[in-house]
Structure formats: C-alpha cells, structure tokens
C-alpha cells in the first residue's frame, strides 16, 4: 500500500464495523479471509454517525482526553497483530472529535500487545467551527438560533490516500464521507486521477456497499418467509474485490452466516441514496442508474456500469445544537382489561402534566403493540390499528404504556418521569415494570460550505 507506483493488481477491502455499536468480534473472520486470499488488502471500520460525532464533542468538553470512539480498543484488539504481521492497513473514522486521542489509544494498545510502534496517519480538517470566520459562518448556517455544539464537514478520500502512500499502518479520521474509507485505499493502490470520475464513482459505490457492515450480507435485510437469511446469528461482514478498471465483486467473510446475493446488494445499493443518478459525495457525483448487478457464484455478486460526474463545489456539513431534554417513562399492564387500564394511566399522566408542567406539551403516549410506530398519539387508539381484536379489552394479555415529551428544562422532564413512577400506587390496578430515562437531545441542520474554505490536513505519527 505504501508503494509510490500505481498497481493493476486487484485490491481486497473488508469491513469490520458498520456503526459505533457494532459487534467487536465481527472483523476477525474478515481478516482471516483477507489473509487466506493473499494479495493487497485493507480493513476498514465505519463507526461514526452524525449524532455519534456530536456526542463525542460533548464528551470532549467534559474530558479533553476523550472524544474518540469509546470502544476503539475493543474493536481493534482482536485483529491488530494479524493486520500488522500481514501488512493489512486499517482505515477508520473512529477518531470522531479527537483523532489524535484515537491515535494515542492505538499506540498504547500496540505496546500492550507487544507490537512495535505503529505508523499512524491522522486526517483532520473536518471541524468547521475551528476554521470559519464569523462572517463565513453567518453565510452558511441555517435558521437554528442556538450556538452549535459541533459542525463537521464530510471530507473526501484524498487525505486517507496520502497517509497510505506515506506508509501508514492505520489511518484515523474524523468526519469523512463513509465511502471515502474505501475509496482512499483505492486511490493509493491504483493511482486513479482526481478527475477519473467513472473510477472514483465506482470506488465510492463500492465503499457505500461496505460502509454498513453486515447489511449487504443479510443484516437488516432478513424477513422470515420472505427474505430468509441463513445463520443470521453469525452473519458475516463484507469483503470486496476491486479491479483497476472500476469493476468489483462483493462477497463476505468465509465460514460465516448470512448471504450476499443480488437482492442484498440492490437493497444496500439504494440505502440512503437520495438520487440514484446523482449521489453527491465529496469526491465525485456518482450515477448508478445504469448499474449492472450480477451473481457470479455463491455469495459473489459483481457490480459494473457505475458512472461519475465532477464533484460538488461545496462540502456538506452537519451542525448539531443542544436540544434540551427527552423524558421517557414506561409501565406495563397485564391480564383482563389491560388495554383500558393502560389508557386510563395515560390519561392520568396527561392530566397531571397539563397542571404541573404545561410546557411539556405535546405529550406522546404510545400503547406499544396496540398503537405506537405507525400512529400519532392524537389518533383514537381504538381505531388506529384497524384491527377489531385490538379494540377488545380482553384481546391482549399485556400492554406497555410509553409516555414521552421533550423539554428545554430538565426539571419539567423530571416531572414526567415522576408522574409515571407514581402510577405504581396512584394509577390503575396492576401496573408494574416502570422504567424512566432523561436524555439530552441534539438538534441538527445541514450546511453547504464552499470547498475552498475547508483545509484538509494529514500527518504521519
């Protein structure tokens, strides 16, 4: 990967995580597969979402040493020694709000495992608040009146590629576009030009298929009897083989569950894409309207026909703001007339909060299993489901009431949780299993910042 000369040899890229809460052991069979197949290979970790990054900024406020992926060592420990021994670089956005902190954590982990010091590349420059002047900020920000907690631009693949060309064994980034975690290694390996739009688009779409981990292998896809997935408990993570001409094949780690077929690939291909003919990324505008998806063997799907257009003039930026508090309370009712008792409990809480904390309006009340996900709380519960059985008080053996509201004041949020707790002795008969939570909320808005205003930096530690 550190060779300065472009290669025509296919590049293997495996994904070890699709979000911060993913399985810590998922990367092990991926790395074993990369080693067994031989040849140039890279392991990527995607652990950063918009909310995850804002929470990381808040964590760093409390502790300047924090702010990176909190379980970074758990993700990397099982595979670090094998990756170092076999020359498999690791690329991840687990730097979040503190990439240098993540790098220090990785160096400490290497020392603990008895490995020599690592060559770690760090990509920075996504923090917009650290770069924009007040005048520039006023030009791009949206209508939210508050002060941003964070504002991070989606950087592209160039910084990652530069680190790998310089010999990095691990590349740590903050906010980059998720597909850039795969496209960066391709740029370093194949030497694609910055305006080779079709190949950049192909690499971006390959990264898009990898970025959500197990999703392209049957995770978040399975639907018994409709879309059956074998051994979902041991679902594999993807391994992709990219050719120098931009064609690629998607598969999964050997000896794992799940499946990779035309259906799983097409579903992930369209995931979170607003316009299939114009998927905007920092590196290229990708067009998948003429893509060909073909199964070429068991758990092997070839993708071709991706086209690209010049990259946008602006970089999308996600800004997050403190959004007050979310208060939640739950209680269960069981046995005859459970639904009616749960409805009465909801009315008790509504009445009490209207008197004691009127600022909490609107209040959300759900009867989980009767009317929750698909109905708003203003609907008539008896009619909302469309099933007569649900209107029969004896039809359900148990039901769980959830009451929730948002508030700018924590004391009002606390009043909601106290009212739900008080249902134990002040509410209908038979209530049990109360759980409450008060969670700080974050609001967000998107900005579009001129590319020239953002200075991406990389360094090798």
């Amino acid at each position: 990967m550190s060779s300065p000369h472009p290669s025509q040899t296919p590049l293997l890229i495996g994904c070890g995580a699709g979000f911060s809460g993913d399985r810590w052991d998922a990367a092990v069979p991926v790395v074993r597969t990369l080693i067994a197949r031989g040849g140039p290979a890279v392991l990527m970790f995607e652990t950063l979402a918009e909310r995850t990054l804002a929470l990381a900024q808040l964590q760093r406020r409390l502790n300047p040493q924090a702010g990176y992926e909190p379980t970074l060592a758990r993700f990397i420990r099982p595979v670090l020694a094998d990756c170092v021994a076999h020359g498999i670089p690791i690329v991840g956005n687990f730097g979040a709000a503190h990439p240098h902190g993540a790098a220090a954590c990785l160096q400490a982990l290497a020392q603990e495992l008895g490995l020599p010091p690592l060559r770690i590349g760090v990509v920075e420059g996504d923090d917009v608040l650290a770069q924009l002047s007040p005048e520039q900020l006023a030009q791009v920000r949206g209508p939210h009146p508050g002060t941003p907690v964070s504002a991070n631009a989606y950087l592209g693949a160039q910084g990652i590629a530069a680190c790998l060309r310089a010999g990095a064994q691990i590349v740590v980034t903050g906010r980059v576009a998720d597909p850039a975690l795969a496209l960066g290694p391709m740029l370093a390996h194949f030497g694609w030009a910055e305006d080779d739009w079709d190949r950049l688009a192909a690499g971006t779409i390959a990264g898009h298929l990898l970025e959500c981990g197990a999703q392209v292998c049957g995770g978040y896809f399975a639907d018994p009897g409709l879309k059956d997935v074998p051994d979902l408990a041991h679902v594999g993570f993807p391994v992709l083989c990219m050719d120098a001409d931009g064609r690629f094949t998607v598969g999964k780690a050997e000896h794992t569950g799940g499946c990779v077929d035309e259906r799983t690939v097409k579903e992930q291909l369209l995931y979170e894409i607003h316009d299939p003919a114009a998927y905007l990324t920092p590196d290229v505008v990708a067009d998948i309207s003429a893509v060909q998806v073909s199964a070429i063997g068991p758990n092997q799907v070839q993708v071709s026909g991706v086209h690209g257009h010049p990259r946008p003039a602006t970089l999308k930026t996600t800004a997050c703001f403190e959004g007050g508090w979310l208060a939640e309370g739950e209680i269960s009712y069981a046995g005859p007339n459970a639904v009616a008792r749960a409805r009465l409990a909801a009315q008790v809480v509504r009445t009490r909060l209207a008197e004691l904390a009127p600022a909490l309006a609107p209040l959300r009340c759900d009867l989980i299993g009767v009317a929750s996900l698909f109905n708003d709380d203003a609907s008539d519960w008896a009619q909302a489901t469309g099933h007569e059985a649900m209107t029969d008080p004896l039809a359900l053996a148990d039901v769980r009431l959830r009451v929730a509201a948002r508030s700018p004041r924590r004391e009002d949020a606390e009043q909601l949780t106290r009212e739900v707790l008080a249902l134990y002795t002040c509410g209908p008969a038979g209530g049990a299993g109360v759980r409450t939570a008060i969670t700080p909320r974050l609001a967000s808005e998107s900005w579009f910042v001129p590319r020239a205003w953002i200075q991406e930096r990389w360094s090798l530690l």
Side-chain angles (χ1 to χ4, degrees), residues 42-56:
V42 176
L43 176 65
M44 64 174 265
F45 287 84
E46 201 290 281
T47 63
L48 193 59
E50 290 75 15
R51 178 177 172 83
T52 316
L53 181 51
L55 293 175

Side-chain angles (χ1 to χ4, degrees), residues 126-459:
D126 60 297
D127 189 346
V128 168
L129 298 181
Q131 299 185 59
L132 267 57
S133 68
E135 293 75 20
Q136 290 173 322
L137 189 60
Q139 290 183 48
V140 299
R141 66 170 297 166
H144 197 286
T147 300
V149 172
S150 63
N152 295 83
Y154 288 76
L155 301 180
Q158 296 297 332
I160 296 170
C163 290
L164 292 171
R165 292 189 191 107
Q169 296 167 293
I170 300 182
V171 180
V172 177
T173 79
R175 178 76 277 169
V176 297
D178 296 345
L181 299 170
L183 180 60
M186 296 174 200
L187 298 181
H189 180 72
F190 296 117
W192 292 339
E194 291 187 26
D195 60 354
D196 190 343
W197 304 121
D198 282 352
R199 286 185 173 85
L200 294 182
T204 293
I205 294 303
H208 174 66
L209 290 174
L210 289 168
E211 69 187 54
C212 291
Q215 282 189 194
V216 77
C217 302
Y220 207 60
F221 171 87
D223 194 350
L226 300 174
K227 298 186 295 182
D228 291 314
V229 174
D231 195 12
L232 187 60
H234 303 101
V235 63
F237 277 53
V239 174
L240 182 144
C241 182
M242 173 61 75
D243 292 328
D245 63 3
R247 288 180 297 179
F248 60 89
T249 302
V250 187
K252 67 181 183 69
E254 301 292 341
H255 310 299
T256 59
C259 61
V260 178
D261 58 26
E262 293 180 6
R263 302 171 306 157
T264 66
V265 171
K266 289 177 181 178
E267 188 166 298
Q268 178 61 26
L269 193 63
L270 295 173
Y271 179 74
E272 291 184 337
I273 287 188
H274 64 291
D275 182 352
Y279 177 39
L280 305 180
T281 79
D283 297 292
V284 65
V285 176
D287 179 355
I288 61 170
S289 60
V291 157
Q292 298 293 317
V293 176
S294 306
I296 59 174
N299 295 309
Q300 291 290 310
V301 175
Q302 186 177 78
V303 180
S304 60
V306 181
H307 295 289
H309 307 287
R311 64 189 187 181
T314 57
L315 294 176
K316 180 184 176 182
T317 297
T318 297
C320 291
F321 302 81
E322 292 182 1
W325 305 90
L326 172 66
E328 299 174 277
E330 296 182 7
I331 186 170
S332 291
Y333 292 90
N337 218 26
V339 172
R341 283 182 282 126
R343 288 174 178 158
L344 175 58
Q347 187 56 51
V348 168
V349 175
R350 282 185 184 277
T351 302
R352 295 278 299 172
L353 290 177
E355 297 169 356
L356 300 174
L360 279 175
L363 191 68
R364 172 87 191 197
C365 296
D366 293 311
L367 296 186
I368 298 173
V370 178
S372 53
L373 290 179
F374 296 108
N375 300 287
D376 65 72
D377 58 298
S379 300
D380 180 81
W381 277 325
Q383 299 176 2
T385 62
H387 297 288
E388 290 185 5
M390 295 302 182
T391 69
D392 180 358
L394 302 180
L396 292 178
D398 63 83
V399 65
R400 189 155 181 85
L401 169 67
R402 173 183 179 268
V403 181
R406 57 181 181 268
S407 171
R409 299 181 350 129
R410 184 180 175 97
E411 52 264 43
D412 285 344
E414 291 172 347
Q415 187 65 44
L416 182 148
T417 61
R418 291 188 60 81
E419 291 301 330
V420 174
L421 182 63
L423 290 171
Y424 267 139
T425 57
C426 300
V434 170
R435 290 185 180 179
T436 63
I438 298 176
T439 309
R441 296 181 69 249
L442 292 170
S444 67
E445 63 183 24
S446 294
W447 304 343
F448 293 92
V449 179
R451 187 180 293 270
W453 293 2
I454 304 298
Q455 301 302 313
E456 182 177 356
R457 307 181 305 279
W458 68 273
S459 57

Side-chain angles (χ1 to χ4, degrees), residues 27-36 41 43 76-90 113 115 118 169:
V28 174
V30 174
V31 172
R32 289 173 181 163
T33 300
L34 296 177
I35 293 171
L43 176 65
I76 303 301
R77 182 187 303 275
V79 297
L80 182 57
D82 281 339
C83 286
V84 170
H86 294 272
I88 299 174
I90 298 172
L113 296 176
L115 301 172
L118 301 170
Q169 296 167 293

Side-chain angles (χ1 to χ4, degrees), residues 9-32:
T9 304
L11 176 66
L12 292 176
I13 303 181
C15 181
F19 73 113
S20 177
D22 221 332
R23 294 174 176 171
W24 291 322
D25 60 341
V28 174
V30 174
V31 172
R32 289 173 181 163

